[in-house]
Amino acid sequence: MKRKLEISELIFKVISYTLLTIFAIACLYPFLYTISGSISGYTAVFRSEIVLLPKDIQLEAFSTMLNNNMFWNAYTNTLFLTFYGTIWEVLLSVLGAYALSKKRLLFRKGFNFFLVFTMWFSAGTVPQYLNYLDTQKVFSSVGITDDKWLVVIAMGMAAMNIILLRNSFEGVPSEIEEAAIVDGATEMQVLWRVYLPMSKSILATVSLFFAISRWNGYYWAKTMMRDADEHPLMVYIRRTLDTYQDPEQTAGWNEIYAPDSMIYAMIVVSIIPILIIYPFIQKYFAKGVNAGGVK
């Protein structure tokens, strides 16, 4: 019996490691292919000769991209949306989750129900668009013409992340809160000095969710921003891709690098901040999801 268990366990491990390896390769390959495509020569990219490693290595695509002021303007817009959007979204989520975690809150069950209800049923794209148009009019009436602030404020709620934070806050022992109140702490002091320090993992996780969402934001940024100079990086890359797919735009293109190499170079540079930040937050990721998702 013991030998059968050892054999079955060995088979399970072999199958598990094999599947995980295949999954890891499937996730890693597009990234490696993009890097290879960004530094490969015109002919290799044009004829789709790249499988994994680059061919006819050149850095002209990166050089051209790095000297493109419009690209860096879009990059700056993305940093703006990500930085302020994440701060705004985390602030709203923390305040909402803290209130919903309190059993003494009037109509608490009703508020929680409506929060979850928005995850089951959505009003749809058109009502959301009309709502954003009304918000845009309000902004214009008070002199705010920068549509980046509209995207930051309008995209400030995410029901799933509020629920994760709420569940984490509910796990904080009530005795600790009571001790802080006895010592004279106000509600904001309890939140700031008790709940937040004890919820670092879920805060880091939710912040990462928000940041990635804002960094990769495309549809509403493209729809709501009237000025092309305010478009973030993803919209600019898409617009550039549409341009390079037009034969008239690429007529007489230099044969050092293909138009696709420029797109690949932009993609590589665009994901660098996420690659830098993610390893520092990864240690909180699994713990934070577990802490917020237990209930």
Side-chain angles (χ1 to χ4, degrees), residues 38 59-73 75 233 236-237 240 244 257 261-270 272:
S38 66
L59 299 177
E60 290 296 324
F62 277 99
S63 177
T64 303
M65 179 206 64
L66 294 175
N67 291 311
N68 187 343
N69 292 330
M70 294 181 64
F71 172 80
W72 291 113
N73 179 65
Y75 212 106
L233 194 56
Y236 176 76
I237 291 176
T240 305
Y244 286 172
Y257 64 91
S261 294
M262 174 70 76
I263 301 298
Y264 292 147
M266 291 181 180
I267 293 173
V268 170
V269 175
S270 69
I272 288 177

PDB file of all heavy atoms in Angstrom, residues 38 59-73 75 233 236-237 240 244 257 261-270 272:
ATOM      1  N   SER A  38      11.415  43.182 -31.413  1.00  0.00           N
ATOM      2  CA  SER A  38      11.776  44.599 -31.317  1.00  0.00           C
ATOM      3  C   SER A  38      13.208  44.873 -31.750  1.00  0.00           C
ATOM      4  O   SER A  38      13.532  45.998 -32.129  1.00  0.00           O
ATOM      5  CB  SER A  38      11.565  45.089 -29.880  1.00  0.00           C
ATOM      6  OG  SER A  38      12.464  44.444 -28.996  1.00  0.00           O
ATOM      7  N   LEU A  59      19.089  48.025 -33.168  1.00  0.00           N
ATOM      8  CA  LEU A  59      18.476  48.798 -32.084  1.00  0.00           C
ATOM      9  C   LEU A  59      17.848  50.094 -32.591  1.00  0.00           C
ATOM     10  O   LEU A  59      17.533  50.988 -31.800  1.00  0.00           O
ATOM     11  CB  LEU A  59      19.529  49.115 -31.009  1.00  0.00           C
ATOM     12  CG  LEU A  59      20.177  47.898 -30.328  1.00  0.00           C
ATOM     13  CD1 LEU A  59      21.251  48.365 -29.348  1.00  0.00           C
ATOM     14  CD2 LEU A  59      19.137  47.045 -29.610  1.00  0.00           C
ATOM     15  N   GLU A  60      17.686  50.182 -33.912  1.00  0.00           N
ATOM     16  CA  GLU A  60      17.138  51.404 -34.506  1.00  0.00           C
ATOM     17  C   GLU A  60      15.693  51.640 -34.085  1.00  0.00           C
ATOM     18  O   GLU A  60      15.268  52.790 -33.929  1.00  0.00           O
ATOM     19  CB  GLU A  60      17.232  51.331 -36.033  1.00  0.00           C
ATOM     20  CG  GLU A  60      18.641  51.419 -36.575  1.00  0.00           C
ATOM     21  CD  GLU A  60      19.270  52.766 -36.267  1.00  0.00           C
ATOM     22  OE1 GLU A  60      18.541  53.774 -36.295  1.00  0.00           O
ATOM     23  OE2 GLU A  60      20.481  52.802 -35.976  1.00  0.00           O
ATOM     24  N   ALA A  61      14.930  50.573 -33.903  1.00  0.00           N
ATOM     25  CA  ALA A  61      13.534  50.744 -33.485  1.00  0.00           C
ATOM     26  C   ALA A  61      13.464  51.396 -32.109  1.00  0.00           C
ATOM     27  O   ALA A  61      12.679  52.324 -31.877  1.00  0.00           O
ATOM     28  CB  ALA A  61      12.823  49.393 -33.473  1.00  0.00           C
ATOM     29  N   PHE A  62      14.307  50.942 -31.189  1.00  0.00           N
ATOM     30  CA  PHE A  62      14.342  51.553 -29.856  1.00  0.00           C
ATOM     31  C   PHE A  62      14.850  52.990 -29.926  1.00  0.00           C
ATOM     32  O   PHE A  62      14.349  53.871 -29.237  1.00  0.00           O
ATOM     33  CB  PHE A  62      15.239  50.730 -28.925  1.00  0.00           C
ATOM     34  CG  PHE A  62      14.547  49.556 -28.302  1.00  0.00           C
ATOM     35  CD1 PHE A  62      14.705  48.294 -28.831  1.00  0.00           C
ATOM     36  CD2 PHE A  62      13.738  49.714 -27.190  1.00  0.00           C
ATOM     37  CE1 PHE A  62      14.071  47.198 -28.259  1.00  0.00           C
ATOM     38  CE2 PHE A  62      13.099  48.636 -26.609  1.00  0.00           C
ATOM     39  CZ  PHE A  62      13.265  47.367 -27.146  1.00  0.00           C
ATOM     40  N   SER A  63      15.847  53.219 -30.770  1.00  0.00           N
ATOM     41  CA  SER A  63      16.407  54.562 -30.899  1.00  0.00           C
ATOM     42  C   SER A  63      15.350  55.536 -31.419  1.00  0.00           C
ATOM     43  O   SER A  63      15.202  56.649 -30.894  1.00  0.00           O
ATOM     44  CB  SER A  63      17.615  54.538 -31.836  1.00  0.00           C
ATOM     45  OG  SER A  63      18.136  55.836 -32.028  1.00  0.00           O
ATOM     46  N   THR A  64      14.610  55.114 -32.433  1.00  0.00           N
ATOM     47  CA  THR A  64      13.553  55.966 -32.995  1.00  0.00           C
ATOM     48  C   THR A  64      12.461  56.217 -31.973  1.00  0.00           C
ATOM     49  O   THR A  64      11.959  57.345 -31.834  1.00  0.00           O
ATOM     50  CB  THR A  64      12.955  55.310 -34.248  1.00  0.00           C
ATOM     51  OG1 THR A  64      13.997  55.055 -35.197  1.00  0.00           O
ATOM     52  CG2 THR A  64      11.899  56.211 -34.879  1.00  0.00           C
ATOM     53  N   MET A  65      12.087  55.166 -31.251  1.00  0.00           N
ATOM     54  CA  MET A  65      11.028  55.300 -30.251  1.00  0.00           C
ATOM     55  C   MET A  65      11.452  56.224 -29.116  1.00  0.00           C
ATOM     56  O   MET A  65      10.674  57.080 -28.667  1.00  0.00           O
ATOM     57  CB  MET A  65      10.683  53.923 -29.695  1.00  0.00           C
ATOM     58  CG  MET A  65       9.597  53.939 -28.628  1.00  0.00           C
ATOM     59  SD  MET A  65       9.748  52.527 -27.534  1.00  0.00           S
ATOM     60  CE  MET A  65      11.338  52.844 -26.769  1.00  0.00           C
ATOM     61  N   LEU A  66      12.679  56.088 -28.649  1.00  0.00           N
ATOM     62  CA  LEU A  66      13.155  56.903 -27.529  1.00  0.00           C
ATOM     63  C   LEU A  66      13.252  58.376 -27.890  1.00  0.00           C
ATOM     64  O   LEU A  66      13.241  59.236 -27.005  1.00  0.00           O
ATOM     65  CB  LEU A  66      14.514  56.390 -27.048  1.00  0.00           C
ATOM     66  CG  LEU A  66      14.506  54.995 -26.416  1.00  0.00           C
ATOM     67  CD1 LEU A  66      15.929  54.552 -26.096  1.00  0.00           C
ATOM     68  CD2 LEU A  66      13.648  54.968 -25.165  1.00  0.00           C
ATOM     69  N   ASN A  67      13.343  58.684 -29.175  1.00  0.00           N
ATOM     70  CA  ASN A  67      13.395  60.069 -29.637  1.00  0.00           C
ATOM     71  C   ASN A  67      12.032  60.597 -30.072  1.00  0.00           C
ATOM     72  O   ASN A  67      11.945  61.690 -30.632  1.00  0.00           O
ATOM     73  CB  ASN A  67      14.384  60.198 -30.804  1.00  0.00           C
ATOM     74  CG  ASN A  67      15.825  60.003 -30.346  1.00  0.00           C
ATOM     75  OD1 ASN A  67      16.255  60.601 -29.368  1.00  0.00           O
ATOM     76  ND2 ASN A  67      16.561  59.153 -31.039  1.00  0.00           N
ATOM     77  N   ASN A  68      10.989  59.802 -29.798  1.00  0.00           N
ATOM     78  CA  ASN A  68       9.631  60.171 -30.181  1.00  0.00           C
ATOM     79  C   ASN A  68       8.962  60.907 -29.018  1.00  0.00           C
ATOM     80  O   ASN A  68       8.612  60.302 -28.002  1.00  0.00           O
ATOM     81  CB  ASN A  68       8.846  58.906 -30.545  1.00  0.00           C
ATOM     82  CG  ASN A  68       7.470  59.224 -31.105  1.00  0.00           C
ATOM     83  OD1 ASN A  68       6.959  60.335 -30.943  1.00  0.00           O
ATOM     84  ND2 ASN A  68       6.860  58.260 -31.759  1.00  0.00           N
ATOM     85  N   ASN A  69       8.778  62.204 -29.160  1.00  0.00           N
ATOM     86  CA  ASN A  69       8.191  63.013 -28.083  1.00  0.00           C
ATOM     87  C   ASN A  69       6.740  62.633 -27.796  1.00  0.00           C
ATOM     88  O   ASN A  69       6.290  62.704 -26.650  1.00  0.00           O
ATOM     89  CB  ASN A  69       8.277  64.500 -28.426  1.00  0.00           C
ATOM     90  CG  ASN A  69       9.702  65.015 -28.423  1.00  0.00           C
ATOM     91  OD1 ASN A  69      10.548  64.506 -27.682  1.00  0.00           O
ATOM     92  ND2 ASN A  69       9.984  66.008 -29.248  1.00  0.00           N
ATOM     93  N   MET A  70       6.001  62.233 -28.827  1.00  0.00           N
ATOM     94  CA  MET A  70       4.601  61.852 -28.634  1.00  0.00           C
ATOM     95  C   MET A  70       4.498  60.593 -27.769  1.00  0.00           C
ATOM     96  O   MET A  70       3.584  60.458 -26.952  1.00  0.00           O
ATOM     97  CB  MET A  70       3.923  61.628 -29.990  1.00  0.00           C
ATOM     98  CG  MET A  70       3.807  62.883 -30.835  1.00  0.00           C
ATOM     99  SD  MET A  70       2.963  62.578 -32.410  1.00  0.00           S
ATOM    100  CE  MET A  70       1.327  62.117 -31.841  1.00  0.00           C
ATOM    101  N   PHE A  71       5.445  59.671 -27.953  1.00  0.00           N
ATOM    102  CA  PHE A  71       5.455  58.460 -27.138  1.00  0.00           C
ATOM    103  C   PHE A  71       5.665  58.812 -25.673  1.00  0.00           C
ATOM    104  O   PHE A  71       4.967  58.303 -24.789  1.00  0.00           O
ATOM    105  CB  PHE A  71       6.556  57.516 -27.629  1.00  0.00           C
ATOM    106  CG  PHE A  71       6.777  56.321 -26.739  1.00  0.00           C
ATOM    107  CD1 PHE A  71       5.945  55.228 -26.817  1.00  0.00           C
ATOM    108  CD2 PHE A  71       7.817  56.311 -25.803  1.00  0.00           C
ATOM    109  CE1 PHE A  71       6.136  54.131 -25.990  1.00  0.00           C
ATOM    110  CE2 PHE A  71       8.020  55.229 -24.979  1.00  0.00           C
ATOM    111  CZ  PHE A  71       7.176  54.125 -25.077  1.00  0.00           C
ATOM    112  N   TRP A  72       6.615  59.676 -25.380  1.00  0.00           N
ATOM    113  CA  TRP A  72       6.898  60.045 -24.001  1.00  0.00           C
ATOM    114  C   TRP A  72       5.793  60.898 -23.402  1.00  0.00           C
ATOM    115  O   TRP A  72       5.562  60.866 -22.185  1.00  0.00           O
ATOM    116  CB  TRP A  72       8.240  60.758 -23.909  1.00  0.00           C
ATOM    117  CG  TRP A  72       9.377  59.833 -24.193  1.00  0.00           C
ATOM    118  CD1 TRP A  72      10.228  59.859 -25.244  1.00  0.00           C
ATOM    119  CD2 TRP A  72       9.758  58.687 -23.405  1.00  0.00           C
ATOM    120  NE1 TRP A  72      11.129  58.818 -25.175  1.00  0.00           N
ATOM    121  CE2 TRP A  72      10.860  58.083 -24.051  1.00  0.00           C
ATOM    122  CE3 TRP A  72       9.278  58.120 -22.226  1.00  0.00           C
ATOM    123  CZ2 TRP A  72      11.478  56.943 -23.552  1.00  0.00           C
ATOM    124  CZ3 TRP A  72       9.889  56.992 -21.728  1.00  0.00           C
ATOM    125  CH2 TRP A  72      10.981  56.415 -22.383  1.00  0.00           C
ATOM    126  N   ASN A  73       5.091  61.642 -24.232  1.00  0.00           N
ATOM    127  CA  ASN A  73       3.930  62.381 -23.737  1.00  0.00           C
ATOM    128  C   ASN A  73       2.834  61.413 -23.294  1.00  0.00           C
ATOM    129  O   ASN A  73       2.226  61.585 -22.229  1.00  0.00           O
ATOM    130  CB  ASN A  73       3.395  63.307 -24.838  1.00  0.00           C
ATOM    131  CG  ASN A  73       2.180  64.089 -24.382  1.00  0.00           C
ATOM    132  OD1 ASN A  73       2.248  64.914 -23.491  1.00  0.00           O
ATOM    133  ND2 ASN A  73       1.041  63.817 -25.008  1.00  0.00           N
ATOM    134  N   TYR A  75       3.369  58.358 -22.395  1.00  0.00           N
ATOM    135  CA  TYR A  75       3.921  57.670 -21.223  1.00  0.00           C
ATOM    136  C   TYR A  75       3.672  58.494 -19.961  1.00  0.00           C
ATOM    137  O   TYR A  75       3.286  57.961 -18.913  1.00  0.00           O
ATOM    138  CB  TYR A  75       5.423  57.460 -21.418  1.00  0.00           C
ATOM    139  CG  TYR A  75       5.973  56.211 -20.785  1.00  0.00           C
ATOM    140  CD1 TYR A  75       6.321  55.117 -21.561  1.00  0.00           C
ATOM    141  CD2 TYR A  75       6.160  56.115 -19.411  1.00  0.00           C
ATOM    142  CE1 TYR A  75       6.837  53.959 -20.997  1.00  0.00           C
ATOM    143  CE2 TYR A  75       6.670  54.967 -18.832  1.00  0.00           C
ATOM    144  CZ  TYR A  75       7.007  53.897 -19.633  1.00  0.00           C
ATOM    145  OH  TYR A  75       7.508  52.758 -19.062  1.00  0.00           O
ATOM    146  N   LEU A 233      -0.705  55.677 -22.844  1.00  0.00           N
ATOM    147  CA  LEU A 233       0.204  54.884 -23.662  1.00  0.00           C
ATOM    148  C   LEU A 233      -0.516  53.821 -24.481  1.00  0.00           C
ATOM    149  O   LEU A 233      -0.198  53.616 -25.661  1.00  0.00           O
ATOM    150  CB  LEU A 233       1.249  54.226 -22.753  1.00  0.00           C
ATOM    151  CG  LEU A 233       2.482  53.621 -23.424  1.00  0.00           C
ATOM    152  CD1 LEU A 233       3.201  54.652 -24.275  1.00  0.00           C
ATOM    153  CD2 LEU A 233       3.416  53.061 -22.367  1.00  0.00           C
ATOM    154  N   TYR A 236      -2.165  55.324 -27.439  1.00  0.00           N
ATOM    155  CA  TYR A 236      -1.168  55.764 -28.418  1.00  0.00           C
ATOM    156  C   TYR A 236      -0.585  54.572 -29.184  1.00  0.00           C
ATOM    157  O   TYR A 236      -0.407  54.639 -30.403  1.00  0.00           O
ATOM    158  CB  TYR A 236      -0.048  56.520 -27.711  1.00  0.00           C
ATOM    159  CG  TYR A 236       1.072  56.923 -28.647  1.00  0.00           C
ATOM    160  CD1 TYR A 236       0.923  58.005 -29.522  1.00  0.00           C
ATOM    161  CD2 TYR A 236       2.269  56.211 -28.676  1.00  0.00           C
ATOM    162  CE1 TYR A 236       1.936  58.358 -30.385  1.00  0.00           C
ATOM    163  CE2 TYR A 236       3.287  56.566 -29.538  1.00  0.00           C
ATOM    164  CZ  TYR A 236       3.112  57.636 -30.398  1.00  0.00           C
ATOM    165  OH  TYR A 236       4.120  57.986 -31.264  1.00  0.00           O
ATOM    166  N   ILE A 237      -0.307  53.483 -28.477  1.00  0.00           N
ATOM    167  CA  ILE A 237       0.236  52.289 -29.152  1.00  0.00           C
ATOM    168  C   ILE A 237      -0.778  51.751 -30.152  1.00  0.00           C
ATOM    169  O   ILE A 237      -0.419  51.369 -31.273  1.00  0.00           O
ATOM    170  CB  ILE A 237       0.615  51.216 -28.118  1.00  0.00           C
ATOM    171  CG1 ILE A 237       1.824  51.678 -27.300  1.00  0.00           C
ATOM    172  CG2 ILE A 237       0.935  49.889 -28.805  1.00  0.00           C
ATOM    173  CD1 ILE A 237       2.218  50.719 -26.190  1.00  0.00           C
ATOM    174  N   THR A 240      -0.849  54.032 -33.140  1.00  0.00           N
ATOM    175  CA  THR A 240       0.359  53.817 -33.949  1.00  0.00           C
ATOM    176  C   THR A 240       0.257  52.520 -34.735  1.00  0.00           C
ATOM    177  O   THR A 240       0.656  52.455 -35.898  1.00  0.00           O
ATOM    178  CB  THR A 240       1.598  53.783 -33.047  1.00  0.00           C
ATOM    179  OG1 THR A 240       1.649  54.982 -32.263  1.00  0.00           O
ATOM    180  CG2 THR A 240       2.867  53.673 -33.872  1.00  0.00           C
ATOM    181  N   TYR A 244       0.559  52.052 -38.790  1.00  0.00           N
ATOM    182  CA  TYR A 244       1.566  51.214 -39.447  1.00  0.00           C
ATOM    183  C   TYR A 244       0.950  50.096 -40.268  1.00  0.00           C
ATOM    184  O   TYR A 244       1.617  49.507 -41.114  1.00  0.00           O
ATOM    185  CB  TYR A 244       2.508  50.621 -38.392  1.00  0.00           C
ATOM    186  CG  TYR A 244       3.488  51.620 -37.823  1.00  0.00           C
ATOM    187  CD1 TYR A 244       4.302  51.293 -36.747  1.00  0.00           C
ATOM    188  CD2 TYR A 244       3.587  52.910 -38.346  1.00  0.00           C
ATOM    189  CE1 TYR A 244       5.200  52.211 -36.212  1.00  0.00           C
ATOM    190  CE2 TYR A 244       4.469  53.834 -37.818  1.00  0.00           C
ATOM    191  CZ  TYR A 244       5.267  53.481 -36.765  1.00  0.00           C
ATOM    192  OH  TYR A 244       6.142  54.393 -36.237  1.00  0.00           O
ATOM    193  N   TYR A 257      14.567  48.262 -39.860  1.00  0.00           N
ATOM    194  CA  TYR A 257      13.639  47.568 -38.964  1.00  0.00           C
ATOM    195  C   TYR A 257      12.231  47.684 -39.527  1.00  0.00           C
ATOM    196  O   TYR A 257      11.893  48.637 -40.241  1.00  0.00           O
ATOM    197  CB  TYR A 257      13.687  48.148 -37.552  1.00  0.00           C
ATOM    198  CG  TYR A 257      13.232  49.587 -37.447  1.00  0.00           C
ATOM    199  CD1 TYR A 257      11.895  49.897 -37.187  1.00  0.00           C
ATOM    200  CD2 TYR A 257      14.132  50.644 -37.597  1.00  0.00           C
ATOM    201  CE1 TYR A 257      11.473  51.204 -37.085  1.00  0.00           C
ATOM    202  CE2 TYR A 257      13.709  51.953 -37.492  1.00  0.00           C
ATOM    203  CZ  TYR A 257      12.387  52.229 -37.227  1.00  0.00           C
ATOM    204  OH  TYR A 257      11.964  53.525 -37.129  1.00  0.00           O
ATOM    205  N   SER A 261       8.420  46.150 -35.485  1.00  0.00           N
ATOM    206  CA  SER A 261       9.492  46.243 -34.486  1.00  0.00           C
ATOM    207  C   SER A 261       9.312  47.474 -33.610  1.00  0.00           C
ATOM    208  O   SER A 261       9.629  47.449 -32.413  1.00  0.00           O
ATOM    209  CB  SER A 261      10.860  46.280 -35.173  1.00  0.00           C
ATOM    210  OG  SER A 261      11.134  45.067 -35.829  1.00  0.00           O
ATOM    211  N   MET A 262       8.808  48.554 -34.202  1.00  0.00           N
ATOM    212  CA  MET A 262       8.544  49.758 -33.427  1.00  0.00           C
ATOM    213  C   MET A 262       7.445  49.490 -32.387  1.00  0.00           C
ATOM    214  O   MET A 262       7.563  49.899 -31.222  1.00  0.00           O
ATOM    215  CB  MET A 262       8.113  50.893 -34.345  1.00  0.00           C
ATOM    216  CG  MET A 262       7.671  52.144 -33.620  1.00  0.00           C
ATOM    217  SD  MET A 262       9.020  53.014 -32.814  1.00  0.00           S
ATOM    218  CE  MET A 262       9.781  53.789 -34.238  1.00  0.00           C
ATOM    219  N   ILE A 263       6.384  48.785 -32.796  1.00  0.00           N
ATOM    220  CA  ILE A 263       5.306  48.443 -31.872  1.00  0.00           C
ATOM    221  C   ILE A 263       5.829  47.544 -30.754  1.00  0.00           C
ATOM    222  O   ILE A 263       5.523  47.742 -29.575  1.00  0.00           O
ATOM    223  CB  ILE A 263       4.151  47.752 -32.613  1.00  0.00           C
ATOM    224  CG1 ILE A 263       3.595  48.654 -33.724  1.00  0.00           C
ATOM    225  CG2 ILE A 263       3.046  47.354 -31.645  1.00  0.00           C
ATOM    226  CD1 ILE A 263       3.004  49.944 -33.229  1.00  0.00           C
ATOM    227  N   TYR A 264       6.633  46.551 -31.131  1.00  0.00           N
ATOM    228  CA  TYR A 264       7.206  45.659 -30.124  1.00  0.00           C
ATOM    229  C   TYR A 264       8.069  46.443 -29.126  1.00  0.00           C
ATOM    230  O   TYR A 264       8.039  46.180 -27.915  1.00  0.00           O
ATOM    231  CB  TYR A 264       8.053  44.579 -30.792  1.00  0.00           C
ATOM    232  CG  TYR A 264       7.272  43.580 -31.610  1.00  0.00           C
ATOM    233  CD1 TYR A 264       7.805  43.003 -32.766  1.00  0.00           C
ATOM    234  CD2 TYR A 264       5.990  43.190 -31.227  1.00  0.00           C
ATOM    235  CE1 TYR A 264       7.092  42.085 -33.514  1.00  0.00           C
ATOM    236  CE2 TYR A 264       5.262  42.270 -31.984  1.00  0.00           C
ATOM    237  CZ  TYR A 264       5.823  41.719 -33.118  1.00  0.00           C
ATOM    238  OH  TYR A 264       5.114  40.810 -33.855  1.00  0.00           O
ATOM    239  N   ALA A 265       8.850  47.385 -29.640  1.00  0.00           N
ATOM    240  CA  ALA A 265       9.707  48.194 -28.753  1.00  0.00           C
ATOM    241  C   ALA A 265       8.860  49.004 -27.776  1.00  0.00           C
ATOM    242  O   ALA A 265       9.203  49.121 -26.586  1.00  0.00           O
ATOM    243  CB  ALA A 265      10.590  49.113 -29.592  1.00  0.00           C
ATOM    244  N   MET A 266       7.757  49.573 -28.253  1.00  0.00           N
ATOM    245  CA  MET A 266       6.868  50.325 -27.371  1.00  0.00           C
ATOM    246  C   MET A 266       6.270  49.431 -26.300  1.00  0.00           C
ATOM    247  O   MET A 266       6.166  49.829 -25.124  1.00  0.00           O
ATOM    248  CB  MET A 266       5.745  50.967 -28.190  1.00  0.00           C
ATOM    249  CG  MET A 266       6.190  52.088 -29.099  1.00  0.00           C
ATOM    250  SD  MET A 266       4.790  52.804 -30.002  1.00  0.00           S
ATOM    251  CE  MET A 266       5.631  54.063 -30.960  1.00  0.00           C
ATOM    252  N   ILE A 267       5.888  48.225 -26.676  1.00  0.00           N
ATOM    253  CA  ILE A 267       5.301  47.296 -25.710  1.00  0.00           C
ATOM    254  C   ILE A 267       6.327  46.929 -24.639  1.00  0.00           C
ATOM    255  O   ILE A 267       6.005  46.885 -23.439  1.00  0.00           O
ATOM    256  CB  ILE A 267       4.783  46.032 -26.429  1.00  0.00           C
ATOM    257  CG1 ILE A 267       3.600  46.396 -27.334  1.00  0.00           C
ATOM    258  CG2 ILE A 267       4.380  44.961 -25.427  1.00  0.00           C
ATOM    259  CD1 ILE A 267       3.127  45.253 -28.209  1.00  0.00           C
ATOM    260  N   VAL A 268       7.554  46.665 -25.064  1.00  0.00           N
ATOM    261  CA  VAL A 268       8.607  46.289 -24.110  1.00  0.00           C
ATOM    262  C   VAL A 268       8.831  47.409 -23.102  1.00  0.00           C
ATOM    263  O   VAL A 268       8.885  47.184 -21.885  1.00  0.00           O
ATOM    264  CB  VAL A 268       9.917  45.950 -24.848  1.00  0.00           C
ATOM    265  CG1 VAL A 268      11.069  45.804 -23.860  1.00  0.00           C
ATOM    266  CG2 VAL A 268       9.758  44.674 -25.655  1.00  0.00           C
ATOM    267  N   VAL A 269       8.950  48.640 -23.590  1.00  0.00           N
ATOM    268  CA  VAL A 269       9.196  49.776 -22.691  1.00  0.00           C
ATOM    269  C   VAL A 269       7.981  50.045 -21.800  1.00  0.00           C
ATOM    270  O   VAL A 269       8.124  50.438 -20.641  1.00  0.00           O
ATOM    271  CB  VAL A 269       9.558  51.033 -23.508  1.00  0.00           C
ATOM    272  CG1 VAL A 269       9.700  52.248 -22.610  1.00  0.00           C
ATOM    273  CG2 VAL A 269      10.859  50.799 -24.274  1.00  0.00           C
ATOM    274  N   SER A 270       6.786  49.790 -22.322  1.00  0.00           N
ATOM    275  CA  SER A 270       5.572  50.095 -21.561  1.00  0.00           C
ATOM    276  C   SER A 270       5.370  49.177 -20.363  1.00  0.00           C
ATOM    277  O   SER A 270       4.677  49.554 -19.407  1.00  0.00           O
ATOM    278  CB  SER A 270       4.343  50.013 -22.473  1.00  0.00           C
ATOM    279  OG  SER A 270       4.086  48.671 -22.858  1.00  0.00           O
ATOM    280  N   ILE A 272       7.876  47.876 -18.520  1.00  0.00           N
ATOM    281  CA  ILE A 272       9.013  47.926 -17.582  1.00  0.00           C
ATOM    282  C   ILE A 272       8.591  48.341 -16.181  1.00  0.00           C
ATOM    283  O   ILE A 272       8.997  47.707 -15.192  1.00  0.00           O
ATOM    284  CB  ILE A 272      10.115  48.848 -18.138  1.00  0.00           C
ATOM    285  CG1 ILE A 272      10.823  48.171 -19.330  1.00  0.00           C
ATOM    286  CG2 ILE A 272      11.133  49.182 -17.049  1.00  0.00           C
ATOM    287  CD1 ILE A 272      11.880  49.028 -19.983  1.00  0.00           C
TER     288      ILE A 272
END
